[in-house]
Amino acid sequence: MSDLLPCPFCNGEAEYCLGDDGPVICVECNATAPEDKDWNRRYTSSEWQCVPKEPSFQMLSADGCASDHGGKGCIHHENRKRIWSAMLSAAPKPGDA
């Protein structure tokens, strides 16, 4: 058993799902990792940035369109979600050569 670092997403407390070994979960946001070595890995390169799998409304509206649509989503948001998903699928994963 190793010491678990705080959650990289919400800074919450992490614990093992199955006793003192195995999968790890954040008790605050439910982020998971298969093993403690994966959980404790932190990428510090300026070339990487952690982003959610699904963009938030604020992310979809970052160009200012929220003020143009009274704070409601627009047709452009659906297109941005499709682009976001395609980009994440095509993005290299940490550790890829």
Side-chain angles (χ1 to χ4, degrees), residues 1-5 14-16 19-22 24 35-41:
M1 179 172 126
S2 70
D3 292 327
L4 296 173
L5 296 174
E15 63 183 28
Y16 289 96
D20 293 339
D21 199 9
V24 177
E35 298 180 17
D36 53 12
K37 68 181 178 78
D38 301 311
W39 182 265
N40 286 336
R41 183 180 295 131

Side-chain angles (χ1 to χ4, degrees), residues 50-68:
C50 284
V51 296
K53 289 183 179 179
E54 296 290 327
S56 67
F57 178 81
Q58 290 78 14
M59 294 169 71
L60 295 169
S61 305
D63 67 348
C65 76
S67 61
D68 296 333

Side-chain angles (χ1 to χ4, degrees), residues 10-81:
C10 75
N11 207 37
E13 181 182 345
E15 63 183 28
Y16 289 96
C17 298
L18 305 172
D20 293 339
D21 199 9
V24 177
I25 188 168
C26 172
V27 298
E28 301 295 324
C29 73
N30 294 321
T32 61
E35 298 180 17
D36 53 12
K37 68 181 178 78
D38 301 311
W39 182 265
N40 286 336
R41 183 180 295 131
R42 298 296 193 260
Y43 297 95
T44 57
S45 171
S46 62
E47 296 177 17
W48 290 94
Q49 180 174 339
C50 284
V51 296
K53 289 183 179 179
E54 296 290 327
S56 67
F57 178 81
Q58 290 78 14
M59 294 169 71
L60 295 169
S61 305
D63 67 348
C65 76
S67 61
D68 296 333
H69 302 292
K72 298 190 188 310
C74 66
I75 191 169
H76 301 292
H77 287 195
E78 292 306 314
N79 191 40
R80 291 172 184 163
K81 287 178 186 178

